[in-house]
Amino acid sequence: MSLEELRFYADRHSIPVEDVVFIALNFFGLNWDVEFNRMRTALRLSEDSRFSEARALDEWNYYLALPVRPDSPFRLENGDLLLGSDLVGRTFGATEDYCDSHYQRRMGTCLNINPNTRTSCRGCDFCYTAYQVPLDRQKMTTPDEIRGFFTNWVSEQRVPDLSHLQQISIVTGCYGSEAHLVNFLLSLRDEASKLGFDGRIFYLGSALSDPVAIKRLGESGPFGYCISLECFDRRTILHRTKAALSLEAIKETMSTSMDAGMEVNYTYIVGLEPIEEFIPRMEEFTACTNKFPTVNLLQLHQQHDAGLRDPSAGTLDYYLSARRAIENIYRDTELRPKAWEDYRSLWFLRFGGEAVEGPRFPDRESISELQGLSVGA
């Protein structure tokens, strides 16, 4: 495989070659001579003339998290990301992708917290979290623990308070009951507010469904709810609590959440189901979403059974066709993917003919050493 071959795919589907490169990286993973199985890195594209879209948009710097696979045509050598003899770009800070207790997004204006030991969760066949190095063992469940975490974080970040944060995201499950989850979310709002936070609390999961609890959370302040749907019909590969939720019940919960004033969407993993099956379902769900769905590409790690991937999803054409089909659903809406959420997405530079704009790096430290770096063709 070469950049020329990927440019053929780009021309065939009328999308930027850069987007094809990133989709291919997520699909194939990265060949790197290390002992771990998942990595993350900052990346600056090379000055190759084929990256004309990045040049036009002045978008050269990216952040990726990828499976490490010895069978990938992409390889990492001395910091250079290579595809055959072609230099794709230069990496900085390439390391194992750990399961952290917290991490920043959107150039440090969003904070993701993992307050309930995400690595203890088991169940969804496609999830890699259980195999990650667990740096999330310290729980954050009580008001005192929440207060202590944010006090320490403010000190470590050398910021006066939390007023610069636009969003605090909860990216873990394992609460045991909806009541415990709701109590945590309300305590989180209360404690963060004392430190100047007035942004959105964002919950990624599927344990919230009680209309009374949803109304209460909606009234507490700006709130986002992303239901971890993952797939529409192939529900047996999910954790049993997710699998038990019917699509109709999920749609009802999402509609209730929108009525409560929440920003609402869902996660979907492209690669688990045929395009002709998931596109009609996605069309159904547009009525109960007011934010573009979090569409991720299925990443297969070395520990995964290759049978996870739907037989139709074994080529780049599948993902590029899926991208176009999803664009058709949302083309006439105001909903669009966000650049800072594009880590294993189908969109990086363009959504249809529109530029995907906005901050791409998780924090300022990740991009600082790539600024001004020139990567030759």
Side-chain angles (χ1 to χ4, degrees):
M1 179 169 285
S2 65
L3 276 180
E4 273 305 308
E5 185 175 345
L6 296 187
R7 188 164 74 168
F8 165 79
Y9 280 103
D11 291 343
R12 180 175 178 176
H13 291 271
S14 300
I15 65 174
V17 67
E18 297 89 338
D19 281 16
V20 179
V21 168
F22 294 132
I23 290 170
L25 271 166
N26 281 283
F27 176 68
F28 289 110
L30 180 63
N31 183 352
W32 189 19
D33 187 18
V34 289
E35 294 183 357
F36 51 82
N37 298 305
R38 183 173 174 81
M39 61 87 69
R40 61 192 182 201
T41 187
L43 171 71
R44 180 167 177 81
L45 287 176
S46 79
E47 300 287 343
D48 192 295
S49 61
R50 284 164 288 199
F51 295 143
S52 58
E53 192 78 10
R55 182 177 290 104
L57 296 174
D58 195 26
E59 293 285 0
W60 291 95
N61 300 317
Y62 302 87
Y63 203 86
L64 300 169
L66 302 168
V68 176
R69 295 191 61 94
D71 56 351
S72 172
F74 293 93
R75 65 188 191 281
L76 189 58
E77 296 181 2
N78 300 317
D80 287 338
L81 177 58
L82 303 167
L83 179 59
S85 60
D86 294 317
L87 176 64
V88 175
R90 179 74 178 174
T91 64
F92 173 76
T95 185
E96 182 169 5
D97 190 35
Y98 310 109
C99 187
D100 298 307
S101 64
H102 61 281
Y103 48 94
Q104 297 179 68
R105 287 282 187 261
R106 203 182 176 280
M107 290 293 282
T109 60
C110 295
L111 178 64
N112 286 18
I113 59 174
N114 176 9
N116 211 20
T117 60
R118 188 178 176 188
T119 50
S120 66
C121 184
R122 300 289 187 277
C124 294
D125 293 354
F126 47 78
C127 186
Y128 181 73
T129 300
Y131 303 106
Q132 289 182 289
V133 174
L135 302 182
D136 64 337
R137 292 311 193 196
Q138 185 174 359
K139 286 195 173 186
M140 187 199 315
T141 55
T142 67
D144 285 345
E145 291 170 342
I146 297 169
R147 187 181 315 118
F149 167 79
F150 281 117
T151 300
N152 291 336
W153 188 81
V154 164
S155 176
E156 291 169 359
Q157 295 297 311
R158 299 180 182 178
V159 293
D161 52 30
L162 301 178
S163 60
H164 69 290
L165 291 180
Q166 295 187 8
Q167 180 169 294
I168 298 175
S169 303
I170 295 83
V171 292
T172 187
C174 309
Y175 283 93
S177 72
E178 184 173 7
H180 288 153
L181 168 64
V182 172
N183 286 337
F184 170 79
L185 293 172
L186 291 171
S187 295
L188 175 65
R189 170 70 71 186
D190 184 49
E191 296 300 330
S193 296
K194 294 174 184 176
L195 286 170
F197 176 72
D198 61 0
R200 177 179 290 107
I201 296 228
F202 175 89
Y203 166 61
L204 170 62
S206 54
L208 181 62
S209 61
D210 177 58
V212 174
I214 289 172
K215 185 174 185 294
R216 189 179 177 193
L217 288 168
E219 292 172 345
S220 70
F223 197 93
Y225 186 10
C226 179
I227 292 192
S228 51
L229 178 65
E230 321 294 17
C231 57
F232 292 108
D233 295 315
R234 199 177 167 192
R235 310 290 291 168
T236 57
I237 64 175
L238 303 178
H239 186 282
R240 57 179 178 78
T241 56
K242 289 185 187 178
L245 298 173
S246 70
L247 296 183
E248 289 306 313
I250 292 172
K251 285 193 286 187
E252 183 176 348
T253 293
M254 294 172 70
S255 295
T256 299
S257 301
M258 284 202 303
D259 290 342
M262 294 182 180
E263 181 182 76
V264 180
N265 72 336
Y266 61 92
T267 57
Y268 185 78
I269 301 175
V270 176
L272 294 174
E273 300 170 315
I275 294 174
E276 62 271 17
E277 292 184 10
F278 79 74
I279 287 297
R281 293 290 197 183
M282 196 169 281
E283 289 172 338
E284 291 177 22
F285 271 69
T286 57
C288 50
T289 55
N290 54 18
K291 180 187 176 184
F292 192 84
T294 301
V295 178
N296 290 319
L297 187 153
L298 175 64
Q299 291 181 335
L300 283 186
H301 297 79
Q302 295 180 51
Q303 293 88 345
H304 287 142
D305 184 339
L308 274 175
R309 183 178 283 156
D310 187 82
S312 67
T315 66
L316 283 178
D317 265 325
Y318 166 91
Y319 298 94
L320 302 178
S321 297
R323 167 180 160 134
R324 186 168 60 246
I326 297 170
E327 286 177 351
N328 288 337
I329 294 174
Y330 288 94
R331 190 179 307 278
D332 295 329
T333 75
E334 297 181 354
L335 308 185
R336 295 292 184 268
K338 295 183 178 180
W340 67 273
E341 296 176 332
D342 282 355
Y343 288 96
R344 54 188 179 104
S345 177
L346 297 177
W347 300 274
F348 293 87
L349 291 180
R350 292 282 180 186
F351 179 91
E354 305 169 21
V356 177
E357 298 178 323
R360 300 179 182 277
F361 269 67
D363 52 53
R364 299 188 184 280
E365 291 74 18
S366 299
I367 196 173
S368 59
E369 300 214 18
L370 284 181
Q371 296 286 1
L373 176 67
S374 177
V375 184

